Amino acid sequence: MKNFTYFQPENLKDAAKQLGNNWKDRLLIAGGTDLLGLMKHNLERPDVLINLKSIAGLEKIEYLPGKELRIGALTKITDIAEHPVIREKFTALAEAAGQVASPQLRNMGTIGGNICQRPRCWYYRGDFNCLRKGGDICFAVEGRNKFHCIIGGAPCFIVHPSDLAVALQALEAKLIIFSGKKSKSVAIKDFFVLPDADVYRENILKPNEIITEIHIPEPASGCQSGYLKFQEREVWDFATVSVGVSIKKNANFIETGLVVFGGVAPRPWIEQKISQALTGTILKENTISELTDICLQDAEPLEENKYKVVLAKNLLKNLLMRLNNI
Amino acid sequence: MSSRKIIKSKYFFEEDFVESLAEVPVEKTEAWASGAELKVVGKPTQRKDGYDKVSGSAQYTFDISLPKMAFAKTLRSPHPHARILNIDVSKAKKLPGVLEIITHQNTPKIPWYFGMSFLFDTTLRFEGDEVACVAAESEHIAEQALQLIRVEYEELPFTIEAGQAMSEAAPKIHDTNILRGRPDTYERGDIEKGFAEADVVLEETFTTQTAVHNTTEPHCSVVNWDGDRLTVWDSTQGIFSVRDGIADSLGIPASHVRVIKKYMGGGFGSKLAAGKYTVMAALLAKKIGRPVKIALDRKEMNLAVGNRPDSVQKLKIGAKKDGTLTAMVHESYGASGAYPSGAACSWPFRTIYQCPNLNTIDYSVYINAGPGRPMRAPGHVQGTFGMDSIIDDMAEKIGMDPLEFRLKNYAEIDQVGNAPYTSKRLHECYQQGAAAIGWYQKRRPAGSSPGKIKKGIGMASQIWWGGGGPPAYATLKLNRDGSATVIAGTQDLGTGTYTFIAQVAAEVLEIPLDNINVILGDTGVAPYGPSSGGSTTAPSISPAVRDAAEQMKTKLISGAAAILEVPERELSYRNAVISAITDSEKKLGISDVVRQMRERVLVTTGLRNANPEGYTINSFGAQFAEVEVDIDTGKIRLLKVVAAHDVGRILNPLTSDNQFHGGIIQGIGFALMEERIMDPMTGKTLTTNLHNYKVPTVMDTPTEIEVIIVSDSDPLISNTGVKGIGEPAHIPTAAAIANAVYNAIGVRMKSLPMTPDKILHALFG
Ligand SMILES: Cc1cc2nc3c(=O)[nH]c(=O)nc-3n(C[C@H](O)[C@H](O)[C@H](O)COP(=O)(O)OP(=O)(O)OC[C@H]3O[C@@H](n4cnc5c(N)ncnc54)[C@H](O)[C@@H]3O)c2cc1C
Ligand code: SF4
């Protein structure tokens, strides 16, 4: 790890002032659970770290009934997992939060840091100078790629590691981003990018921008959501594949639905076809099987990750059955 | 003092038989009989080291901190195979806080890896091979300095897969890529005839992965010179082997090296010998005249300090319709890594089931990866997986219950040594284990479990040596206050050695456990004790402790006889009081005896007896696993594991249970998730942290682990009748799980670890 200067701003303006125009020299630190690992392995070598924890007001959960849920970017993942309103009304998010990493990491890690965490590709984290790090090739293509993406890849085949991002996408959250002068609101679907648009960054955030809040609209009545994660090890592991779903039911029918996969693509992956197909269906075991069969039809698995297609379908099936008490 | 003699002693230690001259008592103290009423030994006993560990006051090697201590870090090869053309340390040396840097340029050529290489070699044969070592004021500075060292490498062609490395075209790592240039072979009977007699012949190939020890405490040492004498604190399983290794490397007398290890966070076979890191630290410490601490990080541990070689096992077995095995063939190869380490895995195959016609061929192959080291039952874990899988398949083919099939082919004697066993109670393991898991009630035909969550039950057998043997000593001092100190040259890896030593002494001398102090892990004060590996520590040391205590008792009785003026034979020893049988007024506590004998402290030294001639000593067992396989996800969950073993006398059921739980959990890791994964294009390891190299967590352990010990003692072995349990606990777990998985899903998993992707692939293509 390189030596660095530690800056403790008192407010957002001061923090933003410290930020520069590139991703090299000056970085924000929240819980540090991802960033410190990156620094120890010399993947990040900042000169200045700007601590967001010294700014008051960024750690909060505010529920405005009938309107939206507002979560400060510095809110701990544990607090999200345990919050009664989030558990009841924004279930997918609470379920995702409850399965992140381990209790210790959830106690330190923040929601802002979680959606901005860097990829876990073992080439990226190891000493391989791959595309994403400015090198010439993606080692995963011909190498070991059991945990890589099956869709949306090329030229880089990472999966986005965040559990919360998948749930937030299923709940159609918005991110409030501050850039020194003003704040803007960005729909989460416009936040994450695929490698063909930017092979170096996983989202549109600029080096001088700070996520301050995450807003989630109040679910309409009849809405339900859930999150199902599959990991090889029972705890302290990233999703091999995960799925977040929100559906709005009217009697037995589904009025609208949104299906988002984690662990299959370089960003939370919205399955348009399924989401559309859900509309108007009555959910029974056989209709669910038919539905899930059409998902991820465009997947192009690598040598070692074909299993993810089956896994994704099965997880979706199980989550839909659970949401419909089948 | 009892009379002694020197014999040729031979017993199995980790990877091979070791033979040495050993001093033994001419007559062995009579063993505690099976079923003997003992007061302390065999009773659940809290760990002596428990308070220190739970309160955090225990000092591990990693915790040692000396005044003016410097910190060392190692620069390692980033390439799997390369030659060093040039090293430039000038920039690194200028970094403030850097004290010294050593490389091949400024150190003697110290032979390493059985003389096949050097401490610093200019040819690097695996990623992680040592290039330079820096001492600095802090670990952080040392790490920064590593990045400033400029090394020019000539990259060489590499091979990282044993099968490929065996081919003619493969890049050569040494003169030949096959260890010793030939395989290990064994044969008995007439294999052709055996297969001709068979009604059914099965042939299958099984593979197992490279696993890494990944001990909790990293490999680490603190070294300190005092003139020309060196003290080394090391996280080690063998203080004497480290002492000798360091002395030989540095060219100084062994008597100038003192190795100390009090508490330790695991070894599993990866800490049996002197490490390069210790020698590098000693060289640096000498140069800078300050103590040096060196500790490996997780990446270094996953690259450079050992692993369990992988295996490809081609097995062929034949049996008659009635279940009699007629012929068995095992052919395997496995990757030793870049330097010698046995990858053979046919030992259990040769012995555990009765079969007159049998061949084995094992190739150990060099590849450009970190050298293997013994890992909790070398060869046996992978070998048992292949063997017990095909045995189950054969049982099914001929329509026999797998347990009946094993009983049908029960080996009464050691077929390799052609000798009887000192004891073999495997059939009781089968019976009691089967009862505990509900084998006959719950087990259904393979693949018949309904629904998406499929249940299955499977089992596997275990054989291992673990009898220990001489030489092993224990010194016992009896203090004026009636307390005792036992000093032994063994070490406690966290397995409970401190505790059982106190128990054995307490049993004989009839003094409270709290009055016994145990000093281990210090070559400066202790008589010789063997390294702790091969499940031999308790079987080797406990008889020496008992011998020392019995001698002490005799000495005390003699002393009392002189003081009380009563013949020895008319004295009795009870609860540390010696009294005349005929006159109960005439009595002395042991403390009084010591006080009046003027020595202030009485000393005896006990010895491990010779093993009985004409016998083979083995431990046995059977493990049963009940699993659940979710066919939607490919996830395997353990519901219950039953471990039923014949391991002689249990000294302390609490630490024995700990060992079994640990061994089984490590077995689950090997069966389901632990795997070193390498990149084929670059020859580099991808699993260099504990996220990618998945060790099971407590959440991955079975709901229930039941340990059944069928044995009470093996009096032929020694005066305590103990066999080791460290490795037996671990050997059959993966194989039992694999058989349970087959029983659940009806598809045979032939490759470990059985990760969800493999299960889904097997089920759905
Ligand atoms: C062993 C391990 C297992 C894990 N398993 C999981 C898992 O199963 N699921 C999962 O989802 N995650 C997992 N994680 C990741 C973990 O959840 C994240 O590290 C954590 O959420 C990051 O939060 P933080 O506050 O510590 O971020 P930091 O480490 O402080 O920051 C991470 C990144 O985000 C940037 N950043 C932080 N806050 C902001 C902000 N407000 N605005 C703009 N940029 C910001 C930082 O500059 C940095 O680049 C795991 C991590 C580890 C180490
Ligand atoms: S998947 Fe992306 S991060 Fe991983 S090696 Fe390829 S380019 Fe690098």
Side-chain angles (χ1 to χ4, degrees):
Chain A
M1 190 192 282
K2 196 175 96 175
N3 288 339
F4 56 86
T5 307
Y6 193 53
F7 187 72
Q8 304 245 53
E10 280 176 11
N11 55 52
L12 276 168
K13 275 220 170 81
D14 286 350
K17 246 185 249 160
Q18 285 294 322
L19 286 168
N21 286 321
N22 65 56
W23 287 110
K24 253 182 71 199
D25 313 330
R26 297 166 164 262
L27 292 177
L28 296 170
I29 181 162
T33 58
D34 189 35
L35 188 57
L36 292 177
L38 291 162
M39 288 168 64
K40 280 187 189 166
H41 294 113
N42 289 305
L43 289 162
E44 300 282 12
R45 300 172 56 81
D47 297 321
V48 179
L49 276 191
I50 299 135
N51 179 21
L52 287 174
K53 293 185 293 297
S54 57
I55 301 172
L58 289 179
E59 187 174 353
K60 61 168 184 193
I61 299 176
E62 259 173 33
Y63 175 52
L64 311 177
K67 191 160 182 263
E68 63 188 7
L69 175 76
R70 295 179 176 176
I71 305 175
L74 267 268
T75 307
K76 302 285 192 312
I77 298 170
T78 301
D79 296 332
I80 295 170
E82 290 172 358
H83 197 276
V85 175
I86 302 182
R87 289 168 69 127
E88 191 200 324
K89 297 188 172 254
F90 306 87
T91 319
L93 182 60
E95 286 179 350
Q99 290 182 73
V100 168
S102 66
Q104 294 90 329
L105 285 157
R106 295 196 288 271
N107 288 341
M108 279 305 290
T110 65
I111 183 168
N114 186 272
I115 54 186
C116 293
Q117 63 175 299
R118 305 306 313 272
R120 284 281 156 179
C121 164
W122 43 30
Y123 294 100
Y124 177 77
R125 296 268 167 171
D127 52 354
F128 297 83
N129 189 29
C130 73
L131 264 186
R132 187 165 287 272
K133 290 196 283 193
D136 299 328
I137 61 162
C138 169
F139 289 87
V141 180
E142 302 268 309
R144 306 303 303 266
N145 47 38
K146 166 179 168 184
F147 294 113
H148 286 78
C149 74
I150 53 172
I151 197 161
C156 157
F157 293 83
I158 56 157
V159 295
H160 199 280
S162 164
D163 284 311
L164 300 190
V166 176
L168 289 170
Q169 179 61 68
L171 297 168
E172 300 186 275
K174 290 193 185 69
L175 309 180
I176 310 303
I177 297 173
F178 178 75
S179 61
K181 284 175 234 96
K182 51 181 191 323
S183 280
K184 61 180 174 185
S185 162
V186 176
I188 193 159
K189 79 171 170 20
D190 301 324
F191 181 71
F192 293 106
V193 295
L194 289 175
D196 61 357
D198 185 348
V199 76
Y200 306 116
R201 308 295 309 174
E202 298 78 57
N203 55 54
I204 56 152
L205 208 65
K206 297 207 180 66
N208 62 350
E209 292 179 331
I210 304 171
I211 300 177
T212 55
E213 289 185 15
I214 291 108
H215 294 181
I216 310 174
E218 168 89 38
S221 76
C223 264
Q224 255 183 302
S225 71
Y227 183 78
L228 200 56
K229 170 177 181 177
F230 181 73
Q231 51 195 354
E232 281 200 355
R233 183 162 59 188
E234 286 288 305
V235 70
W236 200 35
D237 208 355
F238 290 86
T240 314
V241 174
S242 69
V243 60
V245 165
S246 67
I247 49 174
K248 178 169 165 19
K249 283 204 281 191
N250 186 352
N252 275 341
F253 289 95
I254 305 236
E255 263 184 18
T256 57
L258 184 54
V259 172
V260 185
F261 283 113
V264 301
R267 54 165 291 157
W269 189 257
I270 306 170
E271 262 297 288
Q272 294 293 3
K273 263 191 200 151
I274 295 261
S275 302
Q276 282 154 14
L278 278 171
T279 306
T281 50
I282 306 176
L283 286 181
K284 294 201 298 271
E285 187 160 0
N286 53 350
T287 50
I288 290 178
S289 289
E290 282 166 26
L291 261 177
T292 51
D293 274 348
I294 63 167
C295 81
L296 294 168
Q297 279 173 334
D298 301 329
E300 291 180 344
L302 301 164
E303 182 75 21
E304 297 180 332
N305 65 13
K306 291 181 192 67
Y307 74 100
K308 281 195 177 186
V309 180
V310 184
L311 185 54
K313 288 180 184 183
N314 289 340
L315 290 183
L316 175 59
K317 203 182 327 180
N318 287 335
L319 181 56
L320 287 174
M321 306 230 298
R322 197 185 84 198
L323 289 176
N324 288 282
N325 303 318
I326 302 173
Chain B
M1 175 123 337
S2 63
S3 56
R4 301 158 170 217
K5 63 180 177 183
I6 304 286
I7 59 154
K8 264 195 189 151
S9 162
K10 183 178 167 186
Y11 65 89
F12 200 89
F13 183 83
E14 283 301 346
E15 292 190 293
D16 229 328
F17 284 98
V18 289
E19 213 171 8
S20 63
L21 293 178
E23 187 186 18
V24 295
V26 171
E27 278 185 37
K28 168 179 125 189
T29 311
E30 201 183 321
W32 287 316
S34 296
E37 279 290 325
L38 302 180
K39 293 194 200 88
V40 193
V41 164
K43 299 284 182 287
T45 306
Q46 293 297 335
R47 282 171 182 269
K48 277 243 161 217
D49 47 337
Y51 179 83
D52 278 2
K53 287 183 175 170
V54 173
S55 64
S57 53
Q59 267 217 333
Y60 292 78
T61 303
F62 195 85
D63 301 321
I64 305 281
S65 182
L66 302 180
K68 298 213 74 193
M69 186 169 84
F71 298 82
K73 272 275 159 202
T74 308
L75 182 71
R76 296 174 180 277
S77 171
H79 305 296
H81 203 187
R83 207 167 290 136
I84 299 175
L85 300 178
N86 189 35
I87 304 183
D88 178 5
V89 299
S90 54
K91 236 178 130 185
K93 273 205 122 161
K94 285 195 201 110
L95 184 73
V98 171
L99 301 167
E100 183 59 81
I101 302 178
I102 51 172
T103 67
H104 74 91
Q105 293 164 335
N106 62 353
T107 49
K109 279 197 158 193
I110 297 173
W112 212 269
Y113 298 125
F114 313 97
M116 294 174 77
S117 178
F118 302 101
L119 179 70
F120 291 115
D121 202 335
T122 48
T123 302
L124 306 167
R125 296 183 176 87
F126 61 94
E127 182 200 8
D129 222 344
E130 288 78 357
V131 174
C133 196
V134 177
E137 295 289 350
S138 73
E139 200 171 13
H140 177 59
I141 296 173
E143 238 162 45
Q144 288 187 311
L146 296 185
Q147 293 172 42
L148 297 174
I149 299 176
R150 293 280 158 265
V151 188
E152 218 181 299
Y153 297 103
E154 177 196 348
E155 288 186 52
L156 302 173
F158 63 85
T159 174
I160 56 160
E161 195 262 308
Q164 196 229 341
M166 288 169 83
S167 73
E168 273 302 309
K172 291 282 169 289
I173 297 159
H174 301 289
D175 292 343
T176 149
N177 284 351
I178 293 170
L179 211 78
R180 288 185 294 272
R182 59 178 164 74
D184 292 333
T185 57
Y186 167 79
E187 59 180 75
R188 64 170 177 259
D190 180 341
I191 204 74
E192 308 274 309
K193 184 170 142 271
F195 280 117
E197 285 167 13
D199 296 315
V200 181
V201 174
L202 281 186
E203 209 173 342
E204 281 168 33
T205 301
F206 298 90
T207 64
T208 63
Q209 74 279 33
T210 302
V212 183
H213 308 74
N214 269 313
T215 55
T216 313
E217 185 190 26
H219 293 65
C220 56
S221 310
V222 175
V223 301
N224 189 29
W225 289 95
D226 181 0
D228 59 358
R229 286 171 187 263
L230 178 69
T231 304
V232 176
W233 287 262
D234 192 28
S235 176
T236 181
Q237 299 174 243
I239 50 170
F240 282 96
S241 97
V242 169
R243 182 196 65 176
D244 293 354
I246 290 173
D248 292 349
S249 297
L250 297 175
I252 58 176
S255 59
H256 286 201
V257 182
R258 176 177 178 192
V259 177
I260 302 173
K261 195 232 55 163
K262 189 166 183 193
Y263 292 133
M264 176 163 176
F268 309 121
S270 71
K271 296 175 179 172
L272 282 164
K276 276 194 179 181
Y277 52 94
T278 317
V279 174
M280 294 188 297
L283 291 172
L284 286 166
K286 185 95 193 175
K287 287 198 180 214
I288 64 175
R290 288 168 59 171
V292 170
K293 175 178 173 183
I294 189 163
L296 273 60
D297 64 24
R298 204 42 81 178
K299 181 172 178 182
E300 295 177 286
M301 289 171 72
N302 276 282
L303 292 179
V305 285
N307 55 70
R308 170 184 293 154
D310 62 1
S311 75
V312 175
Q313 308 168 35
K314 286 180 203 151
L315 308 182
K316 184 175 170 188
I317 64 173
K320 291 186 187 161
K321 278 204 198 94
D322 70 353
T324 313
L325 281 167
T326 58
M328 296 172 76
V329 175
H330 163 117
E331 277 180 42
S332 80
Y333 60 86
S336 301
Y339 293 101
S341 155
C345 61
S346 61
W347 270 107
F349 192 88
R350 297 179 199 180
T351 48
I352 195 158
Y353 301 118
Q354 177 72 37
C355 183
N357 311 301
L358 186 142
N359 283 2
T360 67
I361 304 180
D362 293 277
Y363 287 91
S364 299
V365 184
Y366 295 122
I367 63 165
N368 290 110
R373 285 187 185 175
M375 179 166 170
R376 210 166 188 167
H380 280 58
V381 183
Q382 54 275 49
T384 300
F385 162 67
M387 171 187 74
D388 265 338
S389 295
I390 200 167
I391 287 287
D392 253 38
D393 282 350
M394 181 58 92
E396 182 169 62
K397 258 278 172 350
I398 58 175
M400 243 174 136
D401 177 273
L403 205 47
E404 300 308 317
F405 185 60
R406 286 172 173 84
L407 283 165
K408 172 92 188 170
N409 295 290
Y410 195 84
E412 291 292 348
I413 65 155
D414 168 21
Q415 299 168 87
V416 174
N418 202 20
Y421 292 113
T422 51
S423 62
K424 177 173 179 179
R425 301 171 69 169
L426 180 57
H427 53 283
E428 290 165 69
C429 302
Y430 289 147
Q431 280 153 9
Q432 295 185 33
I437 200 86
W439 183 264
Y440 296 107
Q441 301 77 38
K442 286 204 239 164
R443 199 167 181 275
R444 310 252 165 281
S448 65
S449 175
K452 282 184 188 170
I453 311 275
K454 309 228 174 271
K455 283 193 179 188
I457 294 180
M459 57 81 56
S461 310
Q462 171 261 315
I463 184 167
W464 178 253
W465 292 274
Y473 299 84
T475 296
L476 193 144
K477 296 189 195 175
L478 198 76
N479 306 309
R480 260 173 32 141
D481 57 9
S483 71
T485 305
V486 185
I487 307 169
T490 183
Q491 46 280 306
D492 190 333
L493 313 190
T495 51
T497 314
Y498 284 110
T499 313
F500 83 67
I501 287 180
Q503 285 177 277
V504 171
E507 183 72 46
V508 177
L509 294 174
E510 301 179 51
I511 57 181
L513 275 170
D514 284 346
N515 284 359
I516 299 173
N517 182 30
V518 180
I519 297 174
L520 304 178
D522 187 345
T523 61
V525 301
Y528 176 78
S531 296
S532 294
S535 305
T536 60
T537 304
S540 295
I541 288 289
S542 65
V545 175
R546 181 163 172 223
D547 187 37
E550 297 287 358
Q551 287 180 45
M552 184 60 72
K553 196 165 160 180
T554 308
K555 196 180 250 199
L556 287 164
I557 293 171
S558 302
I563 299 162
L564 297 172
E565 296 177 345
V566 177
E568 285 178 27
R569 70 189 129 75
E570 286 174 25
L571 290 173
S572 80
Y573 186 110
R574 191 162 304 129
N575 293 329
V577 175
I578 300 157
S579 43
I581 297 165
T582 48
D583 180 355
S584 61
E585 290 295 292
K586 285 193 166 177
K587 61 180 178 191
L588 280 170
I590 57 172
S591 163
D592 302 322
V593 179
V594 183
R595 277 167 207 275
Q596 296 193 40
M597 284 177 68
R598 279 229 178 205
E599 288 175 41
R600 297 216 153 72
V601 51
L602 304 186
V603 182
T604 57
T605 297
L607 293 80
R608 168 66 156 84
N609 58 281
N611 283 327
E613 275 181 42
Y615 288 95
T616 299
I617 305 174
N618 274 136
S619 62
F620 300 92
Q623 288 187 7
F624 296 75
E626 184 179 9
V627 303
E628 232 174 46
V629 185
D630 182 339
I631 60 162
D632 271 351
T633 62
K635 177 89 164 195
I636 298 165
R637 259 191 204 90
L638 269 300
L639 299 177
K640 181 169 180 173
V641 174
V642 173
H645 292 259
D646 163 12
V647 285
R649 179 184 302 283
I650 292 295
L651 295 166
N652 182 359
L654 295 185
T655 47
S656 159
D657 269 6
N658 287 170
Q659 281 281 62
F660 276 102
H661 285 225
I664 288 164
I665 292 167
Q666 206 167 25
I668 291 169
F670 190 65
L672 304 185
M673 57 187 88
E674 293 188 37
E675 179 176 20
R676 183 184 75 187
I677 297 174
M678 296 182 77
D679 177 53
M681 311 244 294
T682 57
K684 287 159 76 79
T685 296
L686 299 169
T687 45
T688 53
N689 58 42
L690 291 179
H691 160 236
N692 291 329
Y693 187 92
K694 295 187 203 300
V695 175
T697 68
V698 69
M699 302 284 287
D700 301 286
T701 59
T703 325
E704 194 185 347
I705 294 177
E706 186 175 342
V707 180
I708 300 167
I709 305 299
V710 305
S711 50
D712 51 5
S713 176
D714 186 339
L716 278 177
I717 304 177
S718 71
N719 63 37
T720 56
V722 172
K723 302 184 201 174
I725 57 182
E727 280 145 316
H730 178 58
I731 290 169
T733 314
I737 294 172
N739 282 337
V741 168
Y742 175 73
N743 183 239
I745 62 175
V747 181
R748 172 62 63 188
M749 300 304 295
K750 295 182 189 174
S751 161
L752 293 185
M754 296 177 281
T755 47
D757 55 317
K758 287 187 193 162
I759 300 275
L760 288 176
H761 186 73
L763 288 171
F764 305 109

